[in-house]
Amino acid sequence: NGGISGNTSADALARLPALLVEHQPQLVLVSLGGNDMLRKQPQSQTIGNLERMIDMARGKGARVVLLATPRPSLAGAVFNNLSAAEFYADVAKDKKVPLIKDALPEVLSDTALKGDQLHPNAAGHAKLGELIFADLKGIGLIR
C-alpha cells in the first residue's frame, strides 16, 4: 500500500527501493500511469518507469501484477465507458507479468462507485478489491 494520490510513475519509482526493503513483499501490484497520462508525460517515460518498477520488484523476489489504468477520455467519462490504456498490455507482454486490465476502468465507469471524476469512493474501493481478488485468484496467485 505504497501509493500516494497524485503521484506519477516517476514519483513511485523513486520511492520503490525503500518500500521493497522495508516491506519485503511477496507480491507487488503496480497500478500507476494515470497521473502521467493526465499530465501528458511522454508515454515512453511511463512505460520505462513501469518496466523498471517490475524489474526492481522481481529483483527483490516479489511476484508482480500490473493493473491497467484507464486512458483519460472525455467521451469515456461522459458515457461512463472507460477502457484501459493500450500500453499496459504491451508492458505486461514484454515483461511477462499478469495484467489486470478491466478492474479499474470498470469501477471508474460506474458513477455510483466514484468519489470524483478520477477516483473511486469507498464503495468503489470495495468493488475494486473484489475484482482484483477475483483476478488474482484466476491467475493462481490466491487460493
PDB file of all heavy atoms in Angstrom, residues 10-25 52-53 56-57 60:
ATOM      1  N   ALA A  10       7.097   8.231 -12.108  1.00  0.00           N
ATOM      2  CA  ALA A  10       8.460   8.622 -11.707  1.00  0.00           C
ATOM      3  C   ALA A  10       8.546   8.820 -10.196  1.00  0.00           C
ATOM      4  O   ALA A  10       9.529   8.415  -9.564  1.00  0.00           O
ATOM      5  CB  ALA A  10       8.885   9.899 -12.432  1.00  0.00           C
ATOM      6  N   ASP A  11       7.511   9.414  -9.602  1.00  0.00           N
ATOM      7  CA  ASP A  11       7.484   9.595  -8.142  1.00  0.00           C
ATOM      8  C   ASP A  11       7.511   8.234  -7.447  1.00  0.00           C
ATOM      9  O   ASP A  11       8.242   8.031  -6.481  1.00  0.00           O
ATOM     10  CB  ASP A  11       6.216  10.344  -7.706  1.00  0.00           C
ATOM     11  CG  ASP A  11       6.121  11.753  -8.251  1.00  0.00           C
ATOM     12  OD1 ASP A  11       7.167  12.425  -8.380  1.00  0.00           O
ATOM     13  OD2 ASP A  11       4.986  12.188  -8.541  1.00  0.00           O
ATOM     14  N   ALA A  12       6.696   7.319  -7.926  1.00  0.00           N
ATOM     15  CA  ALA A  12       6.614   5.986  -7.321  1.00  0.00           C
ATOM     16  C   ALA A  12       7.916   5.218  -7.516  1.00  0.00           C
ATOM     17  O   ALA A  12       8.376   4.527  -6.602  1.00  0.00           O
ATOM     18  CB  ALA A  12       5.444   5.208  -7.914  1.00  0.00           C
ATOM     19  N   LEU A  13       8.494   5.332  -8.681  1.00  0.00           N
ATOM     20  CA  LEU A  13       9.769   4.659  -8.948  1.00  0.00           C
ATOM     21  C   LEU A  13      10.838   5.120  -7.964  1.00  0.00           C
ATOM     22  O   LEU A  13      11.618   4.309  -7.454  1.00  0.00           O
ATOM     23  CB  LEU A  13      10.216   4.918 -10.389  1.00  0.00           C
ATOM     24  CG  LEU A  13      11.553   4.339 -10.813  1.00  0.00           C
ATOM     25  CD1 LEU A  13      11.567   2.813 -10.706  1.00  0.00           C
ATOM     26  CD2 LEU A  13      11.878   4.775 -12.247  1.00  0.00           C
ATOM     27  N   ALA A  14      10.852   6.390  -7.652  1.00  0.00           N
ATOM     28  CA  ALA A  14      11.839   6.925  -6.708  1.00  0.00           C
ATOM     29  C   ALA A  14      11.637   6.374  -5.299  1.00  0.00           C
ATOM     30  O   ALA A  14      12.599   6.185  -4.552  1.00  0.00           O
ATOM     31  CB  ALA A  14      11.776   8.453  -6.690  1.00  0.00           C
ATOM     32  N   ARG A  15      10.382   6.092  -4.925  1.00  0.00           N
ATOM     33  CA  ARG A  15      10.078   5.579  -3.588  1.00  0.00           C
ATOM     34  C   ARG A  15      10.197   4.063  -3.475  1.00  0.00           C
ATOM     35  O   ARG A  15      10.328   3.520  -2.380  1.00  0.00           O
ATOM     36  CB  ARG A  15       8.651   5.976  -3.181  1.00  0.00           C
ATOM     37  CG  ARG A  15       8.475   7.412  -2.815  1.00  0.00           C
ATOM     38  CD  ARG A  15       7.153   7.683  -2.078  1.00  0.00           C
ATOM     39  NE  ARG A  15       6.075   6.766  -2.380  1.00  0.00           N
ATOM     40  CZ  ARG A  15       5.255   6.856  -3.437  1.00  0.00           C
ATOM     41  NH1 ARG A  15       5.420   7.832  -4.297  1.00  0.00           N
ATOM     42  NH2 ARG A  15       4.288   5.973  -3.619  1.00  0.00           N
ATOM     43  N   LEU A  16      10.115   3.363  -4.597  1.00  0.00           N
ATOM     44  CA  LEU A  16      10.014   1.910  -4.569  1.00  0.00           C
ATOM     45  C   LEU A  16      11.182   1.197  -3.896  1.00  0.00           C
ATOM     46  O   LEU A  16      10.947   0.263  -3.116  1.00  0.00           O
ATOM     47  CB  LEU A  16       9.795   1.363  -5.986  1.00  0.00           C
ATOM     48  CG  LEU A  16       9.544  -0.136  -6.078  1.00  0.00           C
ATOM     49  CD1 LEU A  16       8.334  -0.551  -5.253  1.00  0.00           C
ATOM     50  CD2 LEU A  16       9.391  -0.546  -7.534  1.00  0.00           C
ATOM     51  N   PRO A  17      12.434   1.556  -4.132  1.00  0.00           N
ATOM     52  CA  PRO A  17      13.518   0.803  -3.484  1.00  0.00           C
ATOM     53  C   PRO A  17      13.380   0.736  -1.966  1.00  0.00           C
ATOM     54  O   PRO A  17      13.520  -0.342  -1.374  1.00  0.00           O
ATOM     55  CB  PRO A  17      14.784   1.559  -3.902  1.00  0.00           C
ATOM     56  CG  PRO A  17      14.428   2.216  -5.190  1.00  0.00           C
ATOM     57  CD  PRO A  17      12.976   2.592  -5.035  1.00  0.00           C
ATOM     58  N   ALA A  18      13.073   1.843  -1.340  1.00  0.00           N
ATOM     59  CA  ALA A  18      12.934   1.857   0.122  1.00  0.00           C
ATOM     60  C   ALA A  18      11.729   1.025   0.565  1.00  0.00           C
ATOM     61  O   ALA A  18      11.799   0.320   1.577  1.00  0.00           O
ATOM     62  CB  ALA A  18      12.799   3.295   0.630  1.00  0.00           C
ATOM     63  N   LEU A  19      10.636   1.075  -0.198  1.00  0.00           N
ATOM     64  CA  LEU A  19       9.450   0.285   0.151  1.00  0.00           C
ATOM     65  C   LEU A  19       9.733  -1.207   0.048  1.00  0.00           C
ATOM     66  O   LEU A  19       9.273  -1.990   0.881  1.00  0.00           O
ATOM     67  CB  LEU A  19       8.277   0.658  -0.762  1.00  0.00           C
ATOM     68  CG  LEU A  19       7.680   2.045  -0.543  1.00  0.00           C
ATOM     69  CD1 LEU A  19       6.716   2.400  -1.672  1.00  0.00           C
ATOM     70  CD2 LEU A  19       6.985   2.125   0.803  1.00  0.00           C
ATOM     71  N   LEU A  20      10.486  -1.609  -0.965  1.00  0.00           N
ATOM     72  CA  LEU A  20      10.816  -3.022  -1.125  1.00  0.00           C
ATOM     73  C   LEU A  20      11.689  -3.525   0.023  1.00  0.00           C
ATOM     74  O   LEU A  20      11.502  -4.634   0.503  1.00  0.00           O
ATOM     75  CB  LEU A  20      11.507  -3.264  -2.472  1.00  0.00           C
ATOM     76  CG  LEU A  20      10.629  -3.090  -3.712  1.00  0.00           C
ATOM     77  CD1 LEU A  20      11.472  -3.141  -4.974  1.00  0.00           C
ATOM     78  CD2 LEU A  20       9.519  -4.134  -3.750  1.00  0.00           C
ATOM     79  N   VAL A  21      12.616  -2.700   0.461  1.00  0.00           N
ATOM     80  CA  VAL A  21      13.476  -3.080   1.583  1.00  0.00           C
ATOM     81  C   VAL A  21      12.662  -3.138   2.875  1.00  0.00           C
ATOM     82  O   VAL A  21      12.764  -4.081   3.651  1.00  0.00           O
ATOM     83  CB  VAL A  21      14.666  -2.105   1.720  1.00  0.00           C
ATOM     84  CG1 VAL A  21      15.403  -2.312   3.027  1.00  0.00           C
ATOM     85  CG2 VAL A  21      15.619  -2.259   0.537  1.00  0.00           C
ATOM     86  N   GLU A  22      11.825  -2.139   3.090  1.00  0.00           N
ATOM     87  CA  GLU A  22      11.047  -2.063   4.327  1.00  0.00           C
ATOM     88  C   GLU A  22      10.035  -3.196   4.450  1.00  0.00           C
ATOM     89  O   GLU A  22       9.894  -3.799   5.512  1.00  0.00           O
ATOM     90  CB  GLU A  22      10.313  -0.720   4.391  1.00  0.00           C
ATOM     91  CG  GLU A  22       9.458  -0.547   5.632  1.00  0.00           C
ATOM     92  CD  GLU A  22       8.698   0.769   5.653  1.00  0.00           C
ATOM     93  OE1 GLU A  22       8.921   1.628   4.773  1.00  0.00           O
ATOM     94  OE2 GLU A  22       7.860   0.923   6.562  1.00  0.00           O
ATOM     95  N   HIS A  23       9.326  -3.496   3.364  1.00  0.00           N
ATOM     96  CA  HIS A  23       8.206  -4.447   3.444  1.00  0.00           C
ATOM     97  C   HIS A  23       8.523  -5.855   2.951  1.00  0.00           C
ATOM     98  O   HIS A  23       7.791  -6.781   3.278  1.00  0.00           O
ATOM     99  CB  HIS A  23       6.997  -3.896   2.684  1.00  0.00           C
ATOM    100  CG  HIS A  23       6.497  -2.608   3.243  1.00  0.00           C
ATOM    101  ND1 HIS A  23       5.819  -2.530   4.436  1.00  0.00           N
ATOM    102  CD2 HIS A  23       6.604  -1.340   2.783  1.00  0.00           C
ATOM    103  CE1 HIS A  23       5.511  -1.269   4.686  1.00  0.00           C
ATOM    104  NE2 HIS A  23       5.982  -0.525   3.705  1.00  0.00           N
ATOM    105  N   GLN A  24       9.557  -6.005   2.152  1.00  0.00           N
ATOM    106  CA  GLN A  24       9.947  -7.301   1.586  1.00  0.00           C
ATOM    107  C   GLN A  24       8.721  -8.074   1.083  1.00  0.00           C
ATOM    108  O   GLN A  24       8.460  -9.203   1.509  1.00  0.00           O
ATOM    109  CB  GLN A  24      10.726  -8.113   2.618  1.00  0.00           C
ATOM    110  CG  GLN A  24      11.981  -7.409   3.066  1.00  0.00           C
ATOM    111  CD  GLN A  24      12.722  -8.168   4.146  1.00  0.00           C
ATOM    112  OE1 GLN A  24      12.401  -9.287   4.498  1.00  0.00           O
ATOM    113  NE2 GLN A  24      13.766  -7.544   4.661  1.00  0.00           N
ATOM    114  N   PRO A  25       7.960  -7.475   0.160  1.00  0.00           N
ATOM    115  CA  PRO A  25       6.712  -8.100  -0.285  1.00  0.00           C
ATOM    116  C   PRO A  25       6.948  -9.346  -1.134  1.00  0.00           C
ATOM    117  O   PRO A  25       7.965  -9.460  -1.822  1.00  0.00           O
ATOM    118  CB  PRO A  25       6.054  -7.004  -1.129  1.00  0.00           C
ATOM    119  CG  PRO A  25       7.222  -6.234  -1.672  1.00  0.00           C
ATOM    120  CD  PRO A  25       8.243  -6.230  -0.557  1.00  0.00           C
ATOM    121  N   ARG A  52      10.878  -0.551 -15.131  1.00  0.00           N
ATOM    122  CA  ARG A  52      11.906  -0.522 -14.083  1.00  0.00           C
ATOM    123  C   ARG A  52      11.332  -0.967 -12.734  1.00  0.00           C
ATOM    124  O   ARG A  52      11.993  -1.670 -11.971  1.00  0.00           O
ATOM    125  CB  ARG A  52      12.551   0.858 -13.992  1.00  0.00           C
ATOM    126  CG  ARG A  52      13.548   1.102 -15.139  1.00  0.00           C
ATOM    127  CD  ARG A  52      14.393   2.337 -14.958  1.00  0.00           C
ATOM    128  NE  ARG A  52      13.694   3.593 -15.169  1.00  0.00           N
ATOM    129  CZ  ARG A  52      13.327   4.084 -16.351  1.00  0.00           C
ATOM    130  NH1 ARG A  52      13.569   3.410 -17.444  1.00  0.00           N
ATOM    131  NH2 ARG A  52      12.719   5.236 -16.443  1.00  0.00           N
ATOM    132  N   MET A  53      10.091  -0.564 -12.447  1.00  0.00           N
ATOM    133  CA  MET A  53       9.462  -0.999 -11.195  1.00  0.00           C
ATOM    134  C   MET A  53       9.263  -2.509 -11.187  1.00  0.00           C
ATOM    135  O   MET A  53       9.508  -3.163 -10.163  1.00  0.00           O
ATOM    136  CB  MET A  53       8.130  -0.280 -10.988  1.00  0.00           C
ATOM    137  CG  MET A  53       8.297   1.156 -10.533  1.00  0.00           C
ATOM    138  SD  MET A  53       6.721   1.946 -10.158  1.00  0.00           S
ATOM    139  CE  MET A  53       6.381   2.716 -11.727  1.00  0.00           C
ATOM    140  N   MET A  56      12.642  -4.090 -10.664  1.00  0.00           N
ATOM    141  CA  MET A  56      13.109  -3.849  -9.300  1.00  0.00           C
ATOM    142  C   MET A  56      12.418  -4.791  -8.311  1.00  0.00           C
ATOM    143  O   MET A  56      13.069  -5.393  -7.454  1.00  0.00           O
ATOM    144  CB  MET A  56      12.824  -2.389  -8.936  1.00  0.00           C
ATOM    145  CG  MET A  56      13.668  -1.814  -7.852  1.00  0.00           C
ATOM    146  SD  MET A  56      13.266  -0.053  -7.607  1.00  0.00           S
ATOM    147  CE  MET A  56      13.971   0.670  -9.081  1.00  0.00           C
ATOM    148  N   ALA A  57      11.085  -4.905  -8.432  1.00  0.00           N
ATOM    149  CA  ALA A  57      10.333  -5.774  -7.526  1.00  0.00           C
ATOM    150  C   ALA A  57      10.736  -7.229  -7.726  1.00  0.00           C
ATOM    151  O   ALA A  57      10.936  -7.967  -6.753  1.00  0.00           O
ATOM    152  CB  ALA A  57       8.834  -5.589  -7.744  1.00  0.00           C
ATOM    153  N   LYS A  60      13.907  -8.227  -6.077  1.00  0.00           N
ATOM    154  CA  LYS A  60      13.800  -8.463  -4.636  1.00  0.00           C
ATOM    155  C   LYS A  60      12.973  -9.710  -4.330  1.00  0.00           C
ATOM    156  O   LYS A  60      12.603  -9.958  -3.190  1.00  0.00           O
ATOM    157  CB  LYS A  60      13.179  -7.243  -3.936  1.00  0.00           C
ATOM    158  CG  LYS A  60      14.049  -6.008  -3.979  1.00  0.00           C
ATOM    159  CD  LYS A  60      15.286  -6.191  -3.127  1.00  0.00           C
ATOM    160  CE  LYS A  60      16.082  -4.905  -3.057  1.00  0.00           C
ATOM    161  NZ  LYS A  60      17.300  -5.051  -2.280  1.00  0.00           N
TER     162      LYS A  60
END
